[in-house]
Amino acid sequence: MKKFVTIGILVLIAVTFVGALYYLYQKSEEDPVVYETEEPSEQTIIKKTVATGKIVPKEEVLIKPNISGIIDEIYIEAGDKIKQGDLIAKIRVIPNVSSLQSAKDNVATARINLDNEKKVYQRQKELYDKGVISANDYDAAEVSYQRSEQNYRSAQQNYEIVRTGTTSGIGSAANTLIRSTVEGMVLDVPVKTGNQVIESNNFNDGTTIATLADVNEMIFEGKVDESEVGKIKEDLPLEVTVGAIENKSFDAVLDYIAPKGVEENGAIQFEIKGTLNKADTTFIRAGLSANASIILAKATDVLAIKEALVQFDDETKKPYVEIMTGDQEFERREIELGVSDGINVEVTEGLKMGDKIKVWNQLKAPTNIAQN
C-alpha cells in the first residue's frame, strides 16, 4: 500500500511539473502588448461657455395716453410697420363730473369779469376822449379789459378740454388721437376697442396702448452662472443659435454684464446682453428662446492633440506624453499646452507634426487573433 501511495505522489509531482513547463512555454509564445499611437493634427480650437436666454429688441417703446377715457378706435395691429406720427388709436373722453362742473363755473365767472371790465373800459374811453383822464388811466383800463377777454377764452378752452379732451386751436396737440412717437414694428396691442385707459402722469404709469420696437436692432438677453461670470468680459464675441431657426447661427458682441447677481433655484445668476450683427437680415421674432456660446479664447490652425493623450507628473504636475522612438518603444516628453475646448488641446511646445503619441487606454489586437 505504501508503495502505491509513493508512486501516486511521484506521478502527481511529475504531472504538475510538466503542466508548469507547458504554461510557461505558452506564455512565452503569446504576442507582446502593442500600444496604438496617434499623431498631432492642425485644428482650430475654440474655448467657450454657453448662456441660455432669448432674443429681444434693443429698445421697446410703450405708447401711453396723456388723457383718460375709452378706446374709441384702434388703427393698428401686431406686426404692422409704422412711422413716427402715424395714428395708433382714438380715445373718447368720459369727463369727470366734478371737473366738468368746476370748468363750467370758471367759464361763468370769467364771463362776469369780462362784462364788468368791458363796462369800465367803455366809461374810461369816454372820459379819455373828453380829456378828463390821463392816457395812463385809459391804458390801464384797456389792458385790464384785454386780460379779461383772454381769461374768458382760456376758461372756455379748458371747459372743452375737460368735456371732449380737445379744443379748437391746438391742432396736432389734441390728445384724443394717440400717435406713434417712433418708427418701428408693432409688437403688441394689449387693449381693445371699448377698454378704459388711464392717462400717464407723475403718479401713474398709465395704460399701455401699444408696444413698438425696431426689429432691425435685436439683442440676446440671457444669464450665466456665477462660476462662469469671472471668465467673461465685455466685447467678447458670441455665437447665438435660435431654437426656431435651424442650421443657422448669428454673430453678436457681449456688451453688458450685470454687476449684481440674482438668486435663482439656489444658484446666483448674472444677466448678460449681446448686440446681434446688423448685417444679418434674417427676421427674428422677439421673445424666441436662444443659446449664446461665449467665445473665451480661440486658436486658429494650431498643432493640437486629444486631451486624453496628455498625462501629468505626480510631483510637478507638468503635462507630458510618450513618443514612439522605435518598435513599441516610447520616451517621455514634456509639453506646453495652450487653448483647450475640453476634447482637443493646443500644444505650443514639445511636439511636431508626425510624432507618434502613445494611446494609454487603447491596445492593438494581436496580429494572429486579428487574422482569426
Side-chain angles (χ1 to χ4, degrees), residues 188-364:
D188 187 26
V189 183
V191 296
K192 297 181 180 180
T193 301
N195 286 164
Q196 185 172 0
V197 295
I198 301 173
E199 66 180 281
S200 176
N201 52 44
N202 294 335
F203 308 100
N204 196 314
D205 288 340
T207 305
T208 299
I209 294 179
T211 303
L212 309 180
D214 183 357
V215 293
N216 294 322
E217 293 190 2
M218 306 293 282
I219 65 172
F220 169 81
E221 188 178 86
K223 294 181 179 179
V224 296
D225 190 78
E226 59 181 327
S227 61
E228 300 290 339
V229 73
K231 303 176 184 178
I232 63 177
K233 60 182 179 180
E234 294 179 354
D235 297 328
L236 283 176
L238 306 179
E239 289 183 357
V240 179
T241 55
V242 181
I245 303 176
E246 297 181 355
N247 304 321
K248 185 173 179 62
S249 62
F250 302 89
D251 294 330
V253 177
L254 181 63
D255 48 24
Y256 173 78
I257 304 172
K260 181 181 179 181
V262 178
E263 184 176 353
E264 291 185 4
N265 300 323
I268 304 299
Q269 302 288 322
F270 289 81
E271 183 183 30
I272 64 170
K273 295 179 183 179
T275 302
L276 269 63
N277 187 355
K278 296 180 182 179
D280 197 315
T281 57
T282 304
F283 176 66
I284 308 176
R285 299 182 183 277
L288 287 177
S289 59
N291 293 326
S293 297
I294 307 172
I295 301 175
L296 304 175
K298 184 176 182 180
T300 305
D301 299 331
V302 295
L303 191 70
I305 61 174
K306 292 181 179 178
E307 277 201 3
L309 301 177
V310 181
Q311 303 296 315
F312 291 89
D313 188 273
D314 293 335
E315 295 181 0
T316 64
K317 305 302 181 184
K318 290 185 177 180
Y320 69 90
V321 293
E322 290 197 11
I323 304 298
M324 178 180 284
T325 58
D327 186 15
Q328 288 299 298
E329 294 181 358
F330 298 89
E331 70 172 11
R332 172 171 164 169
R333 186 180 298 176
E334 291 188 352
I335 58 176
E336 296 289 336
L337 304 179
V339 179
S340 170
D341 61 5
I343 299 176
N344 299 305
V345 61
E346 175 191 6
V347 180
T348 58
E349 290 183 16
L351 287 181
K352 63 181 183 299
M353 294 295 290
D355 285 341
K356 297 184 181 299
I357 306 169
K358 181 179 180 180
V359 180
W360 285 85
N361 298 321
Q362 188 174 8
L363 302 177
K364 281 187 179 179

Side-chain angles (χ1 to χ4, degrees), residues 2 66 75 99 129 138 175 188 194 236 241 256 351 367:
K2 290 182 178 180
N66 53 6
Y75 303 101
S99 299
D129 292 339
Y138 171 72
N175 51 16
D188 187 26
L236 283 176
T241 55
Y256 173 78
L351 287 181
T367 305

